[in-house]
Amino acid sequence: MLGVVRKKMLGQSLLKIRPAVSVLRSYSSSAKHMTVRDALNSALDEEMSADQKVFLMGEEVGEYQGAYKISKGLLEKYGPERVLDTPITEAGFAGIAVGAAYHGLKPVVEFMTFNFSMQAIDHIINSAAKSNYMSAGQMSVPIVFRGPNGAAAGVGAQHSQCYAAWYASCPGLKVLTPYSSEDARGLLKAAIRDPDPVVFLENELLYGESFSVSDEVLDSSFCLPIGKAKIERVGRDVTITAFSKMVGHALKAAEILEKDGIDAEVINLRSIRPLDRSTINASVRKTNRLITAEEGFPQHGVGAEICASVVEESFAYLDAPVERIAGADVPMPYAANLERLAVPQVEDIVRAAKRACYRSVPLAAAA
């Protein structure tokens, strides 16, 4: 099948793919808001238009236009040779995609949820991530594995896991975690253009969220650097690091803290591997306090790595213990009330920041 895909992608059939007017939403320079869903869709469209080696494959990405409509309009515009519906076999189509990347194509693999990527993890880790090193740099694997990651709502333990720490622990992979529409558009473009395998972790609950965007973000040449965090809010009293949906929680927590006289700096990590340690440590050396926020399990998590980095590089600057806010160390409950308790909330970040700033009420006084 790889030969068929390659022939179709690079053969004469590519010349027949019409440069049709896009059926996707058009964005003028006057547009000021965009949903994360539209940001991802437009990034895919522009990269597929700019490079005929880019193709999309996954379950229901074509006729159904994606389980979350991220690939809306792409089948009609680029045809079934570049937007491939696959059977329900992650191990199968992930392996085909890695083989296509070996031969110079640029596949974008969509997992309906990253929980299903466990069926394909051998291809992601042992084939995609390690081939460049094992070939002494002779073989590049330009492939993107993307899809929703982390907790959604009411889908139980098997469909609610955050894979940021899982994949970020593997050398050879780059792991990106967009929060806003700017992140989604700029980071997906960077991932597709990158010569190495990228795990692109989206969040289902953010797809419909709308964010303001600048004219620069809407430009087709817009691209964000991999490995660079963004300071979403400048502050002086405490550093809060977060990624994906937790960035929104951190920003809301910062607004609450401001009312109590605590000026929080919020860092949107954007990239988990490589991790922007310099930005994190520079912030901590200014604020002298660190809170990390993530949805994943606490043990061996992203927050644990950040805390270790700060303790190793900036320990002398700390005025309070570092603290991690993470998901509960249990499989995700199905019951809505228990699910809420298992996932970090805004108030959890607020309480941790107050503890770090020695503003929390002592337990004895509270009693």
Side-chain angles (χ1 to χ4, degrees), residues 4-48:
V4 174
V5 172
R6 191 183 183 201
K7 180 179 179 181
K8 287 184 176 181
M9 294 296 298
L10 295 179
Q12 293 299 317
S13 59
L14 274 178
L15 301 177
K16 299 177 182 178
I17 295 178
R18 62 191 185 286
V21 176
S22 176
V23 298
L24 306 177
R25 183 180 302 177
S26 297
Y27 299 105
S28 68
S29 60
S30 61
K32 295 300 178 184
H33 287 83
M34 177 185 282
T35 65
V36 171
R37 175 181 289 106
D38 287 336
L40 294 167
N41 178 273
S42 63
L44 279 169
D45 180 26
E46 290 171 10
E47 292 306 302
M48 291 180 73

Side-chain angles (χ1 to χ4, degrees), residues 344-365:
Q345 304 297 325
V346 173
E347 53 264 32
D348 297 321
I349 302 174
V350 171
R351 285 193 292 266
K354 286 184 176 181
R355 286 192 294 269
C357 295
Y358 303 107
R359 302 285 188 88
S360 58
V361 178
L363 292 177

Side-chain angles (χ1 to χ4, degrees), residues 228-245:
K228 183 65 179 173
K230 178 186 179 183
I231 298 178
E232 296 280 355
R233 186 184 191 277
V234 177
R236 66 178 184 276
D237 295 328
V238 59
T239 297
I240 304 174
T241 66
F243 61 92
S244 190
K245 188 172 180 287

Side-chain angles (χ1 to χ4, degrees), residues 191-358:
I192 293 173
R193 297 174 189 181
D194 199 272
D196 298 313
V198 177
V199 171
F200 196 86
L201 303 174
E202 302 155 12
N203 187 284
E204 176 185 339
L205 299 180
L206 288 176
Y207 285 146
E209 292 289 322
S210 183
F211 293 86
S212 61
V213 290
S214 65
D215 292 344
E216 179 188 5
V217 173
L218 297 173
D219 190 275
S220 61
S221 63
F222 177 71
C223 187
L224 288 172
I226 292 176
K228 183 65 179 173
K230 178 186 179 183
I231 298 178
E232 296 280 355
R233 186 184 191 277
V234 177
R236 66 178 184 276
D237 295 328
V238 59
T239 297
I240 304 174
T241 66
F243 61 92
S244 190
K245 188 172 180 287
M246 285 295 106
V247 177
H249 280 26
L251 290 170
K252 290 177 182 177
E255 293 177 3
I256 296 171
L257 291 166
E258 186 176 25
K259 297 175 183 177
D260 290 331
I262 297 174
D263 189 16
E265 180 151 294
V266 177
I267 298 179
N268 173 6
L269 296 175
R270 283 182 168 172
S271 175
I272 306 301
R273 187 182 186 106
L275 186 65
D276 190 355
R277 301 171 192 272
S278 60
T279 294
I280 296 168
N281 278 278
S283 176
V284 171
R285 292 182 183 192
K286 176 180 66 173
T287 67
N288 310 116
R289 295 169 176 85
L290 171 67
I291 306 297
T292 69
E294 63 182 308
E295 284 189 340
F297 300 128
Q299 186 160 323
H300 310 304
V302 175
E305 177 65 25
I306 292 172
C307 289
S309 175
V310 167
V311 168
E312 290 169 354
E313 300 179 39
S314 305
F315 180 77
Y317 292 84
L318 291 172
D319 288 341
V322 297
E323 187 162 347
R324 293 175 292 156
I325 300 299
D329 198 21
V330 296
M332 181 65 71
Y334 175 74
N337 59 330
L338 296 179
E339 181 182 60
R340 189 181 190 281
L341 293 173
V343 178
Q345 304 297 325
V346 173
E347 53 264 32
D348 297 321
I349 302 174
V350 171
R351 285 193 292 266
K354 286 184 176 181
R355 286 192 294 269
C357 295
Y358 303 107

Side-chain angles (χ1 to χ4, degrees), residues 135-154:
S135 67
Q138 298 180 75
M139 182 182 293
S140 295
V141 191
I143 187 171
V144 178
F145 301 99
R146 54 155 295 270
N149 168 72

